[in-house]
Amino acid sequence: MTIDEHIAALATAGRALAETAAEAGSDAEVATCPGWRVRDLLRHTTMVHRWATGFVAERYTSYHPDDGEPDLDGEALLAHFREGHVRLVDALRAAPESLECWTLMAAPSPLAFWARRQAHETAVHRADAESALPDRHPGPVDPALAADGIDELLRAFHARERSRVRTPEPRILRVRTTDTGDVWTVRLSQDPPRTEHDTKEHGTTEHGTTEHGTTGRGETGRGKGGLPVTADCEMTGPADRLYLTLWNRLPEGAVDVAGDASLARIWRENSAITWS
């Protein structure tokens, strides 16, 4: 996805989050975040939006802490959220491609990082808001955005040393979308996960074109000599269901799991991304 596409996704998700929060009411329980009510969700998300805006608008080149969550509720909190969301979108749209500022993770550029990160921050929290509605089910996510978010989660967040997704012995988890043709081969070990991204239609990875591309269930990804490798566990489903499952926003059973299901449980129990 392009920077402009990420900014557009952020704008759409933020508006939807605010509309859904208003419909649910600030006291509604957020099913996907036990212990949170909608007011907690709005306070957290607007704090993150304003924190991110500081790096983009003020060009901070080193880490700056956030200003804390606002002590607001009801209509005042919704208005504060909407204002902060618009400020973030406007700051990203106004920023030059040459923007230099601090980022949390490696990216093609600081602008690309913040546009992508805040698009997914907001898309996931939009799903949280939807879980506070009476049917308590997050709605669909655009497949292209969802696949991009899976890639960010696997190849950026969990490539960091702080990832707790580890296994005593080397294992392979495969994540395969049924609609966008994306496949990720996640190599688990005592070290942080290392992930290779394949695109079924083109047989490509981040390293270039593969000879074999996608070779069938459980056999995408390359080992020694470029040969396909077999996964110990494979998670399969539409991109948006996988996206929300990997972010622990959907229950077990939302996607198909084949092979050693303990790897899917290791992910669920250890993959949470926390603010602090």
Side-chain angles (χ1 to χ4, degrees):
M1 294 180 65
T2 67
I3 291 171
D4 286 345
E5 287 170 337
H6 281 131
I7 296 172
L10 164 63
T12 298
R15 289 192 297 266
L17 195 165
E19 292 167 4
T20 304
E23 180 181 352
S26 64
D27 199 46
E29 294 182 353
V30 179
T32 51
C33 300
W36 269 17
R37 295 184 183 273
V38 167
R39 66 173 61 86
D40 302 304
L41 174 64
L42 287 173
R43 288 169 178 170
H44 167 78
T45 311
T46 193
M47 177 268 290
V48 175
H49 282 173
R50 290 163 187 271
W51 175 74
T53 300
F55 292 103
V56 176
E58 303 301 329
R59 318 285 176 90
Y60 297 141
T61 56
S62 61
Y63 174 79
H64 278 231
D66 63 82
D67 291 330
E69 297 180 358
D71 185 19
L72 298 171
D73 203 352
E75 289 299 323
L77 177 57
L78 272 167
H80 188 75
F81 171 86
R82 289 188 172 108
E83 179 191 32
H85 171 246
V86 169
R87 285 179 57 196
L88 173 59
V89 171
D90 287 348
L92 287 165
R93 285 177 172 158
E97 291 187 9
S98 60
L99 173 70
E100 292 292 338
C101 66
W102 179 87
T103 62
L104 180 66
M105 298 176 292
S109 71
L111 182 58
F113 167 80
W114 284 111
R116 186 191 207 194
R117 177 79 291 279
Q118 291 309 302
H120 293 299
E121 177 80 15
T122 311
V124 170
H125 287 319
R126 185 220 76 185
D128 291 331
E130 290 166 344
S131 81
L133 294 174
D135 64 7
R136 303 182 79 77
H137 294 300
V141 179
D142 174 76
L145 179 66
D148 181 77
I150 294 170
D151 194 68
E152 184 204 42
L153 185 61
L154 296 179
R155 295 210 294 144
F157 268 115
H158 283 283
R160 301 182 300 165
E161 284 295 327
R162 66 186 300 175
S163 175
R164 297 181 296 111
V165 180
R166 315 278 178 117
T167 54
E169 302 294 334
R171 308 295 299 281
I172 293 179
L173 170 67
R174 181 146 299 125
V175 176
R176 186 190 303 271
T177 65
T178 55
D179 50 355
T180 65
D182 291 281
V183 185
W184 292 267
T185 299
V186 186
R187 300 174 188 273
L188 302 173
S189 68
Q190 296 182 36
D191 297 318
R194 292 292 176 260
T195 301
E196 177 182 299
H197 180 201
D198 295 79
T199 303
K200 183 193 301 186
E201 286 84 351
H202 306 294
T204 61
T205 72
E206 68 272 27
H207 302 296
T209 303
T210 67
E211 178 182 355
H212 299 277
T214 297
T215 59
R217 188 172 180 86
E219 293 187 348
T220 299
R222 295 178 297 169
K224 293 181 179 179
L227 296 176
V229 296
T230 300
D232 298 292
C233 176
E234 183 169 308
M235 300 173 67
T236 307
D240 73 328
R241 299 297 91 181
L242 282 166
Y243 177 55
L244 295 176
T245 295
L246 291 168
W247 272 103
N248 294 325
R249 262 51 184 195
L250 291 179
E252 291 186 52
V255 298
D256 291 333
V257 177
D260 184 356
S262 71
L263 296 188
R265 288 194 296 272
I266 286 172
W267 178 272
R268 181 169 291 275
E269 293 169 1
N270 297 282
S271 65
I273 305 295
T274 59
W275 177 249
S276 59

